[in-house]
Amino acid sequence: MKKLLLILSILFIANTVMAKEYVEFNFPNDGWHKVSSPDGVETKKCFVPNNQTAENYTEMLIFYERILKNTDITPITILHRQLGKDRTNYPDIIPEYIRTNSMDSMVTWCSQMKNTCSVERALKSSNGVILILYVNKMPHYSQNMFGQWSNIINTVKLYTPQESETVLPKNIIEL
């Protein structure tokens, strides 16, 4: 009996630690739809506007969670690592930080060489860090892209479903 209780408590703790994360986000306009990740990473939740696909997009919004074994690693550290990956693909970027809070950071950058801009945010979750990336491959068509998308990305917040909820609201993204 004690062994059964021990096994059940370990399973309960494991499920609690690895609980799914949810974010609440209202898309700026209708028509954004989910697509598969261009790099094939299934844990990334990617969205593009109407008439765009994962292979042929000008704008993409990406949500994903980095589950961390080391809880001392902060979101700003993960954002720095993401910027390192970005520099591999876009060597001419110069990141400009919007917010440098260690638990909730945001940065923007543009690559003139590849005509691409991005707004990126990293925030603390219960399992690790959630990254939100907005990528625009035609930034010259967007007036005030950084201000608009920084404000939009800033509205993303963690969501905790209520036990009584059987259906999540439409503006909830499960990571």
Side-chain angles (χ1 to χ4, degrees):
M1 184 65 166
K2 286 183 181 181
K3 286 183 181 180
L4 179 61
L5 287 174
L6 178 65
I7 291 171
L8 289 175
S9 65
I10 290 172
L11 288 174
F12 175 76
I13 291 170
N15 283 338
T16 305
V17 170
M18 300 308 262
K20 291 186 178 191
E21 294 285 354
Y22 299 88
V23 291
E24 183 176 349
F25 178 70
N26 293 311
F27 285 93
N29 47 43
D30 292 334
W32 286 77
H33 60 280
K34 188 175 178 182
V35 295
S36 58
S37 173
D39 58 6
V41 178
E42 290 183 25
T43 55
K44 289 183 180 179
K45 307 302 183 210
C46 301
F47 299 86
V48 296
N50 273 342
N51 303 320
Q52 295 182 29
T53 65
E55 296 79 29
N56 183 20
Y57 67 91
T58 55
E59 295 177 279
M60 182 176 280
L61 194 54
I62 304 165
F63 298 86
Y64 70 102
E65 181 179 30
R66 297 274 313 266
I67 296 175
L68 303 174
K69 293 178 184 175
N70 181 349
T71 57
D72 293 335
I73 297 175
T74 61
I76 198 165
T77 304
I78 298 299
L79 190 58
H80 286 297
R81 290 179 185 173
Q82 178 62 41
L83 286 169
K85 292 176 186 177
D86 294 336
R87 282 190 185 108
T88 301
N89 297 320
Y90 307 97
D92 64 326
I93 66 171
I94 300 172
E96 294 184 33
Y97 284 86
I98 297 169
R99 184 173 42 238
T100 57
N101 181 315
S102 66
M103 295 301 166
D104 188 355
S105 300
M106 193 180 308
V107 68
T108 62
W109 57 258
C110 279
S111 169
Q112 288 185 345
M113 187 179 354
K114 295 196 178 180
N115 196 33
T116 299
C117 290
S118 183
V119 177
E120 303 179 353
R121 180 178 175 202
L123 65 139
K124 183 78 173 145
S125 70
S126 56
N127 294 331
V129 173
I130 295 173
L131 283 166
I132 303 119
L133 312 171
Y134 168 76
V135 179
N136 187 325
K137 292 184 175 181
M138 292 191 173
H140 58 281
Y141 290 119
S142 299
Q143 296 301 318
N144 193 18
M145 184 204 83
F146 286 130
Q148 176 189 9
W149 277 96
S150 297
N151 289 335
I152 291 169
I153 299 294
N154 195 43
T155 66
V156 175
K157 56 187 172 184
L158 295 176
Y159 179 79
T160 305
Q162 305 301 314
E163 287 183 29
S164 61
E165 283 182 302
T166 54
V167 177
L168 293 173
K170 290 182 181 180
N171 66 340
I172 303 301
I173 299 169
E174 181 181 333
L175 302 177

